[in-house]
Amino acid sequence: MRPESPRALAVRLLLEVERGGRAQLLLDRALDRLDWPERDRAYTTHLLYGTLRHLRLLDFFLEPLLPRPEGLPPTVRWILRLGAWEWLAGKPDHARVSPWVEETKRVAPRLAGLVNAVLRHLQPREAPQCVRLSLPEWLCQAWRTYFGSLDFAQGFNEPAPLFVTAYRPVPGLRPGPLPDSYLWEGPKTDFSALGLQPQNPASLFAVQLLNPAPGEKVLDLCGGAGLKAFYLAAKGAEVVSYDLNPKRQEAGRRTAAKLGLRVAYRTQDLREPLPEKAKKVLLDAPCTGTGTFRSHPELRYRLAPQDPRCMAKLQLMLLETAAQATEEGGVLVYSVCTLTEEEGEGVARAFLADHPEFVPEPFLCPLPVLKAGLGVYVAPEGGLDGFYYLRLRKVNSRA
């Protein structure tokens, strides 16, 4: 059934997110099926992402007015959170309360009076920093201990700009923070037809750290659909992209064909040795994704304290495979879109303790640095994802 309004669609999508769906994927699929003006599409996005990014804070404001929120139907609870988000975002009462009351009448008529009363009586009150940021307590404590402050985390709750990587010259685009990265300021379109690919600059920088020469062979490990491989191929590299998921690779093949780029795809469990080596190897490893909370806000509520340690074990296994695939004198770049100690410097320390044949190679980072030491953490500022990078040189092979 077609939703009647951006508000109705936002409610439905949030219910699907609560059941385990991915907000970005659900929103894109829904809007692709709807012939809505850009204003309505943008407002649905504002409602969905704003509510998820500020969820803990919204519940904090609703708490004094809802003694037992868990007893409400999920639909009504999301309606209250959405109405609270509009209040927090500055929408006046006359423009926000009545639409949510009408939406409640459609799905739970007996609770329309409750929704009306609650949304009209919201009051500001001082919230703890972790609640203001809508982050889990365990992660706040870990970040305070490791980074010394939580100030950087405010960036996760700001609107997300759309960055694109250009594989050929495209006039009229506003430059981003890196070469070949630009800000896209119009509605979404067929980017491949324009020689563009949506990509966060923090993700792009992991690829640029390899700096391959034209014709040089590069192994892209855990490459997924090959987003980073596309850029390498556009620079003239001979790219082989490995991943365990053949469906993502098939999607990558189609995109590469539209872009006119050549990427070789090979499907393999990367916990097992590769059948080939190269002088340039990129491992953008699976991770907890704490650096992507801006574009995947629901992820912050799904992580558990033990998840970074569990992911670090997998990352070390994958790094072992990448090390064996790196030729002597070659460069291995390890990157993750997360800001945990365990998956960044922790993995680096553990790997180097067992691999004296590799040495860290310093590099200049043009992006805002959150912490630098054994590798570099990039801060989620100005629309950037949070990332960790480590560049290693294989100085000699062990017997």
Side-chain angles (χ1 to χ4, degrees), residues 108-263:
R110 289 184 298 175
L111 294 174
L114 171 70
V115 168
N116 180 70
V118 169
L119 293 184
R120 289 189 185 279
H121 288 88
L122 287 166
Q123 295 291 330
R125 63 186 186 126
E126 189 64 28
Q129 185 182 26
C130 197
V131 174
R132 290 200 307 273
L133 294 169
S134 288
L135 294 170
E137 295 291 337
W138 67 268
L139 187 57
C140 287
Q141 183 56 48
W143 278 348
R144 283 194 193 100
T145 301
Y146 189 56
F147 295 116
S149 169
L150 288 177
D151 292 347
F152 70 90
Q154 184 56 46
F156 291 130
N157 296 332
E158 296 168 356
L162 179 56
F163 291 100
V164 293
T165 298
Y167 303 126
R168 58 177 182 260
V170 178
L173 297 182
R174 185 150 62 96
L178 296 174
D180 303 318
S181 180
Y182 298 88
L183 274 164
W184 182 266
E185 297 172 304
K188 291 183 178 180
T189 185
D190 184 356
F191 292 107
S192 298
L194 298 175
L196 303 171
Q197 178 67 43
Q199 184 178 26
N200 195 273
S203 171
L204 175 60
F205 185 63
V207 193
Q208 293 180 342
L209 279 170
L210 280 176
N211 193 28
E216 189 171 23
K217 182 178 179 180
V218 180
L219 301 182
D220 171 33
L221 308 188
C222 300
L227 181 60
K228 294 179 175 65
F230 298 158
Y231 185 78
L232 293 165
K235 294 299 179 184
E238 178 192 328
V239 191
V240 184
S241 186
Y242 280 86
D243 198 82
L244 185 60
N245 188 329
K247 290 184 178 180
R248 293 185 69 191
Q249 291 183 314
E250 184 55 40
R253 286 189 183 93
R254 293 193 295 269
T255 303
K258 290 179 69 175
L259 291 166
L261 299 173
R262 295 184 60 184
V263 176

Side-chain angles (χ1 to χ4, degrees), residues 21-39:
R22 293 171 52 195
Q24 186 179 62
L25 182 60
L26 291 167
L27 178 66
D28 288 346
R29 285 177 176 172
L31 293 181
D32 284 347
R33 294 193 294 265
L34 295 170
D35 185 22
W36 278 6
E38 185 57 32
R39 180 187 61 186

